[in-house]
Amino acid sequence: MDIILKERETIFTLHTKHSTYQMMADRFGFLLHLYYGKKTSGTMEYLLQYADRGFSGNPSDAGEDRTYSMDALPQELPCQGTGDYRSPAIVVRDANGVFGCDLRYQGYSSLKGKYALEKLPAVYANEEEAETLEIYLKDSVMGLKVALLYGVLPELDIITRSARITNGGGQKIYLEKAQAACLDFVGGDFDLIRFYGRHAMERLFERTPVSHGVLGIGSRRGTSSHQYNPMMILAGSDTTEDFGSCYAMSFVYSGNFKGEAEKDQYNQTRALLGLSDEQFSYPLLSGETFVAPETVLTYSGKGLSQLSHNLHKCFRKHLCRGKYQTGMRPILINSWEAAYFDFNGETVFQLAKEAAELGIDMVVMDDGWFGKRDDDNSGLGDWIVNEKKLGEPLESLIQKINGLGVKFGIWFEPESVNEDSELFRDHSDWAFSIPKRSPVRARNQLILDFSRKEVVDAIFDKVCGILDQGNIEYIKWDLNRSLCDCYSAGTRDQGRVMHDYVLGVYDFLERLIQRYPNVLLEGCSGGGGRFDAGMLYYTPQIWCSDNTDALDRTQIQYGTSFGYPVSAVGSHVSAIPNHQTGRFTPFATRGITAMAGTFGYELDPQKLSEEEKEEIKKQILEYRKYADLIQEGLYYRLTNPFTENVGAWAFVSEDRTRVLFSAVAFLPHGNMPVQYIRFKGLREGCSYVDQASGQAYASDALMECGIPLPFRMGDYQAYQMYFEIVE
Ligand code: GLA
C-alpha cells in the first residue's frame, strides 16, 4: 500500500501481486478513482481530463472553472447530490425529507490484517496475509461520516470493499441507498457477464456488451435469488478464458441486491454492486452506524480462468470457516428424491443400511420428519420430532444409524411457517404480513419475521432442542419461497426490515456454528436460490440446484464455477428418468457430473439393480481417490456447454502434477466429426500419463490440439481420465 501526500492531494495505491488499484483525494476533497488493472507503478492522475461540458454542473469549490464536474470524473463512492447524474452508491435523506449528500475527504488510517464487519459475513485474513486501508469522508452539513474500508489480500489478488456509515449529526436521517463498491473506469469496451436463471435452472451464463444506459442485475426477493446471482464480471470485449483483462465483483450478502453496469454519455463505464435501494430506507439516529455489506473485487489480466481461481481461493481459504473449510466432506445420501414425504424411521434406517454397504458416509433425513408434515402444506415451524411417523425417538434412530458406521444429518427450514402449524396458531404475528392485507403464499407457506430478535431466539431454541437429541453431524438449511409482505410489527421504520431480516438469519447461523462447531452446514433455498458468498461464511457448501439432471447440471455448474469453488457446490447422483426433466442419462455421466461438486446420492438404492449398485461402489472409490484434487485443485472450464456439443472441465493440482479430466458429450450425430478438447493449466514442456492406459501425452500438445474424445454411441456419454506428470 502506497500513500503519497502531495501539497493538495493524497494518492492511495493498493497493490496486489498482479494488480494495482489507485485513487486520489483531490484538491477539493473529492475521492476520485484513478486506476484498477494490471500491476503498474506511478500515479495516474493524468488520466483525468477536464472539459467544459454542457449540463454537467460544477461544484461551487471549482469557482469559475467549468471544466470540473462530478458528472464526468471517476469516483470511489458516488453520492447523489454532488452533480453526478450517473447511478450513485450512496443516497441520503435527512429528517425533513431533503435528499443530498456531499462527502469529502477527512483522512485515512491503515492497519495490518483485514477488517471485520459487525454482524455481517466478510473475508478474513491474518496480519501477514492482508492489510486494511480506511479512508474517512464527511458531509459537513449533515454530519454524516463514512469510513470506506479496503481489505487487500495481495497473494490472492483480492481487494474487498465495505463502509461504515455514521450519523454524526443531531437529526435522524435515512440511508436510501448504501453500496460500498463502485468501479469507475475512464473508458472501457466491456462486456458484462451475469448469471441469471430460475428455480431448477440457476446461474446460467450470459455475456452482453455494456452499451449506453444501465445493464442491471438484482433481487427484490429477500434472498439473493435463483434469478440473478449477486456476482458479475466486467470483461474486455476480447477477453477469453485464457487471455485479457477482467474484473469480478461478488457481493458477500444473501438478501436484496442491485448490480449495475453503465456506459455514460462520455463512454466511461461505471459498475456498482451492493444493497438494493428498493424497499430500503434505513434509519440512522444520531450516533448510529450502518455497515454496508462487503463486495469482493478481483482483477485478472490472464482471462476468466484466473479470475475464477482468485475467487475460488479467496472463498475457500478466507471466507468459509470451521472444520469443513478444508476437511473432506462426507459423501451423503439424501432422502428427498428417494422418498419425498413418504418415509418413516425404517425407511431412513434402510437408506443408512444401503449407505453402509455402498460406502456412503452419511444419511440425511430431509423434509417431513417433524410436526404434521406429510406434504408441503403444513407443519413448518413445528420443530418437534414426529415420533409417531418415525416410529421411534430421534435419538434411537440416530444411534442405530451410527451403529452401522453411518453419520446422520437432518433438514430444517427455520425461516418459514405454515399457517397450518402450532407455531402459527400460537404466534401468527411472527409471520410477515401487512395489516389489513392477505399475505402472498408460496408453497403454501409464510416467512417468519427474522428482523425481530424474539422470533430468531424462539426458533433457535426449537432447532437446538432437536440438535441436542442426538449425534447430528450435518444440517441442510433450506428456504423454499421468496419473501413478500415484509411488514414487521417490531419497528416503525419498515425500510429497515429487509436488511434486518438478513442480519437475523446471519445471527441465527452464527450462533448455530458457534454452538455446534463440528456440524457441517449445507445451505439451500429451493436448490440454489441463495447461493452467494454471504452464505458461504456460514455454510461451506450449498445445494446447487433442485435440478439433478446431469445434462442441465453441466450448464448450471459451469455458470456457478465462474464465481464459486467446487467445494461449495452441492451435487448428487439421482435416479432416471430424472425427476425434474424426465431425461435418461447414463449412470457414469451422473457420477462424473456430481463429482464436480461435494458428491452424494439422491435416490433409493433399493430400487437399483445389482449392477448399478456395483457402479456406485466404484464411483465412490473413484471419488475418494480424487476428492482432494476436486476440492482443492484448480478448476478449469475446457468448453462452453451453452455453445458446444460437449461439457468439459478439469481439476489440476496447484503444483500441476495431477489432472482429472471430465467431459460429457451431449448428442451423437451420424458420421460424427471428432471432438477435440484442449487442456489448460498444464506445466509446459512436460508429459502427462493417462493412468488408465499408460499413454503419455506432451503437455503442450494437450493444450494446443487437445485430446480426441473417442466416439461412443448414445446420448450424454461421459469421459473421465486421470493424468500424472512425468518430469
Ligand atoms: C427444497 C430443497 C430440496 C428439498 C425440499 C424439501 O426444494 O431444495 O432439496 O430439501 O426443499 O421440501
Side-chain angles (χ1 to χ4, degrees):
M1 184 179 302
D2 294 334
I3 296 155
I4 304 174
L5 301 171
K6 297 193 168 182
E7 200 185 325
R8 300 172 69 196
E9 288 133 6
T10 309
I11 296 184
F12 300 91
T13 309
L14 310 177
H15 290 295
T16 69
K17 206 169 174 183
H18 303 102
S19 73
T20 296
Y21 188 109
Q22 196 172 75
M23 59 205 137
M24 170 173 78
D26 77 353
R27 62 190 191 280
F28 302 132
F30 286 112
L31 188 62
L32 304 179
H33 179 82
L34 294 181
Y35 178 84
Y36 185 28
K38 187 174 166 54
K39 189 161 190 167
T40 181
S41 57
T43 60
M44 268 69 78
E45 66 270 42
Y46 75 90
L47 289 170
L48 305 180
Q49 293 294 305
Y50 301 87
D52 182 358
R53 301 181 188 277
F55 289 82
S56 289
N58 323 107
S60 67
D61 319 46
E64 300 292 299
D65 181 2
R66 290 201 194 178
T67 67
Y68 188 101
S69 176
M70 301 313 285
D71 205 22
L73 288 166
Q75 297 172 54
E76 274 304 294
L77 191 70
C79 309
Q80 183 275 326
T82 59
D84 179 354
Y85 298 94
R86 294 164 287 183
S87 283
I90 301 285
V91 180
V92 188
R93 186 166 56 90
D94 74 10
N96 300 317
V98 179
F99 286 92
C101 178
D102 184 355
L103 292 165
R104 304 292 180 101
Y105 177 70
Q106 302 292 306
Y108 75 93
S109 66
S110 61
L111 40 132
K112 282 191 165 179
K114 161 77 177 48
Y115 64 82
L117 298 177
E118 303 75 26
K119 302 182 186 165
L120 280 167
V123 165
Y124 60 86
N126 66 31
E127 295 200 344
E128 281 73 53
E129 295 164 328
E131 47 187 351
T132 292
L133 172 68
E134 299 198 0
I135 297 185
Y136 307 114
L137 307 171
K138 187 174 173 185
D139 176 307
S140 54
V141 172
M142 224 185 311
L144 189 77
K145 293 190 215 157
V146 175
L148 258 185
L149 310 177
Y150 295 83
V152 186
L153 283 74
E155 275 305 306
L156 300 180
D157 286 318
I158 292 284
I159 295 177
T160 66
R161 292 194 56 178
S162 175
R164 294 198 183 95
I165 305 171
T166 302
N167 180 359
Q171 306 275 322
K172 184 177 186 178
I173 58 167
Y174 290 89
L175 299 177
E176 302 292 334
K177 190 172 184 189
Q179 299 191 328
C182 172
L183 286 180
D184 252 2
F185 298 92
V186 287
D189 184 12
F190 288 117
D191 288 345
L192 178 70
I193 299 176
R194 10 177 198 187
F195 303 92
Y196 74 100
R198 54 188 185 271
H199 174 237
M201 212 62 205
E202 300 90 339
R203 288 174 300 287
L204 307 178
F205 176 93
E206 189 170 59
R207 181 170 180 163
T208 340
V210 179
S211 51
H212 293 97
V214 179
L215 280 182
I217 53 171
S219 167
R220 44 177 80 92
R221 294 170 176 269
T223 57
S224 46
S225 90
H226 301 86
Q227 284 71 16
Y228 291 102
N229 195 260
M231 120 92 175
M232 59 193 212
I233 297 171
L234 277 181
S237 55
D238 52 359
T239 295
T240 64
E241 283 285 353
D242 312 303
F243 303 102
S245 291
C246 42
Y247 303 81
M249 302 176 85
S250 182
F251 196 29
V252 189
Y253 189 69
S254 313
N256 288 354
F257 74 95
K258 191 175 203 172
E260 294 169 83
E262 176 178 15
K263 189 178 240 187
D264 74 8
Q265 55 183 336
Y266 307 121
N267 297 339
Q268 309 183 108
T269 307
R270 170 171 293 178
L272 291 163
L273 180 63
L275 284 175
S276 172
D277 51 353
E278 285 184 39
Q279 292 181 72
F280 179 83
S281 178
Y282 208 91
L284 279 187
L285 295 173
S286 176
E288 282 184 344
T289 296
F290 180 85
V291 181
E294 176 165 283
T295 297
V296 171
L297 309 174
T298 186
Y299 164 80
S300 156
K302 290 191 184 156
L304 296 161
S305 299
Q306 184 63 50
L307 194 79
S308 296
H309 293 165
N310 296 352
L311 290 173
H312 294 175
K313 270 195 212 161
C314 175
F315 292 172
R316 277 199 295 113
K317 299 191 172 163
H318 296 276
L319 187 65
C320 294
R321 296 178 294 167
K323 181 175 160 189
Y324 287 99
Q325 180 203 358
T326 51
M328 284 298 122
R329 311 291 168 75
I331 298 175
L332 58 88
I333 185 160
N334 181 293
S335 68
W336 183 240
E337 286 195 23
Y340 295 100
F341 291 105
D342 187 16
F343 66 86
N344 55 30
E346 187 52 28
T347 324
V348 180
F349 182 65
Q350 283 306 325
L351 267 185
K353 262 174 89 175
E354 294 280 352
E357 275 162 34
L358 297 169
I360 295 171
D361 304 312
M362 175 185 281
V363 66
V364 174
M365 182 164 73
D366 208 284
D367 196 355
W369 54 267
F370 52 90
K372 183 182 122 203
R373 185 78 174 164
D374 291 322
D375 57 36
D376 58 10
N377 289 305
S378 64
L380 285 173
D382 292 340
W383 302 113
I384 298 159
V385 178
N386 186 342
E387 292 187 1
K388 201 161 150 228
K389 176 166 174 176
L390 288 191
E392 61 186 315
L394 185 60
E395 188 183 8
S396 71
L397 177 61
I398 297 175
Q399 274 170 3
K400 274 168 35 190
I401 289 171
N402 285 172
L404 299 167
V406 176
K407 297 179 197 301
F408 179 81
I410 198 166
W411 178 96
F412 284 100
E413 187 171 342
E415 297 150 82
S416 294
V417 64
N418 284 115
E419 287 154 285
D420 184 3
S421 70
E422 293 308 317
L423 184 83
F424 189 80
R425 282 184 275 276
D426 292 345
H427 299 283
S428 61
D429 64 311
W430 285 4
F432 276 136
S433 142
I434 300 172
K436 300 193 193 143
R437 292 187 193 274
S438 308
V440 171
R441 295 192 186 108
R443 213 191 190 202
N444 215 357
Q445 66 199 55
L446 302 178
I447 294 283
L448 290 170
D449 180 358
F450 266 35
S451 76
R452 285 164 66 186
K453 185 167 182 309
E454 68 270 32
V455 179
V456 173
D457 288 349
I459 306 299
F460 184 75
D461 287 347
K462 283 173 192 285
V463 168
C464 293
I466 300 292
L467 296 175
D468 292 341
Q469 286 179 30
N471 183 26
I472 295 175
E473 298 184 70
Y474 162 105
I475 297 168
K476 179 172 170 187
W477 177 299
D478 209 343
L479 173 61
N480 278 311
R481 61 160 294 176
S482 300
L483 277 61
C484 196
D485 304 289
C486 297
Y487 169 87
S488 174
T491 178
R492 284 187 173 183
D493 286 305
Q494 298 302 317
R496 66 182 298 155
V497 175
M498 300 215 60
H499 178 59
D500 286 354
Y501 176 89
V502 178
L503 295 183
V505 172
Y506 289 155
D507 175 38
F508 193 131
L509 284 162
E510 185 62 36
R511 283 197 252 166
L512 203 60
I513 62 172
Q514 295 303 335
R515 184 166 160 153
Y516 305 98
N518 294 325
V519 172
L520 170 62
L521 263 72
E522 176 153 354
C524 178
S525 177
R530 197 156 56 181
F531 202 114
D532 55 65
M535 286 308 282
L536 286 181
Y537 189 64
Y538 307 96
T539 67
Q541 61 190 54
I542 302 175
W543 184 225
C544 183
S545 177
D546 270 348
N547 186 345
T548 55
D549 175 79
L551 180 68
D552 281 353
R553 277 289 183 131
T554 60
Q555 294 190 340
I556 295 168
Q557 293 175 187
Y558 170 84
T560 305
S561 77
F562 281 85
Y564 303 96
V566 162
S567 59
V569 174
S571 196
H572 296 165
V573 175
S574 62
I576 47 166
N578 178 269
H579 293 192
Q580 293 79 41
T581 61
R583 189 177 283 122
F584 289 77
T585 50
F587 209 90
T589 305
R590 284 172 272 152
I592 286 170
T593 315
M595 282 188 209
T598 57
F599 198 63
Y601 291 85
E602 189 90 17
L603 44 69
D604 182 357
Q606 292 186 89
K607 297 190 183 137
L608 299 181
S609 66
E610 282 311 311
E611 247 172 40
E612 285 172 315
K613 286 191 192 180
E614 282 310 307
E615 258 195 88
I616 291 190
K617 285 187 194 163
K618 267 199 260 154
Q619 268 174 359
I620 287 174
L621 287 179
E622 290 285 288
Y623 179 73
R624 289 200 201 283
K625 247 199 279 174
Y626 308 129
D628 62 328
L629 183 55
I630 291 172
Q631 275 198 30
E632 283 157 22
L634 298 166
Y635 180 86
Y636 285 93
R637 295 173 290 270
L638 304 182
T639 65
N640 177 345
F642 288 88
T643 55
E644 294 173 60
N645 192 26
V646 52
W649 58 92
F651 303 93
V652 180
S653 60
E654 281 224 51
D655 64 3
R656 319 270 168 188
T657 59
R658 302 167 66 208
V659 180
L660 180 66
F661 164 84
S662 305
V664 178
F666 301 151
L667 298 176
H669 295 287
N671 198 10
M672 190 76 176
V674 178
Q675 306 195 84
Y676 293 90
I677 313 292
R678 291 162 65 183
F679 281 43
K680 295 182 196 295
L682 307 184
R683 208 182 288 173
E684 290 175 15
C686 300
S687 291
Y688 285 80
V689 175
D690 169 12
Q691 298 296 303
S693 67
Q695 187 170 343
Y697 298 86
S699 59
D700 299 289
L702 280 178
M703 292 193 285
E704 281 299 310
C705 300
I707 200 158
L709 278 191
F711 178 78
R712 282 204 220 124
M713 299 286 272
D715 294 344
Y716 323 118
Q717 294 296 318
Y719 304 80
Q720 193 169 56
M721 297 166 85
Y722 173 65
F723 299 82
E724 283 183 9
I725 200 168
V726 199
E727 305 205 33

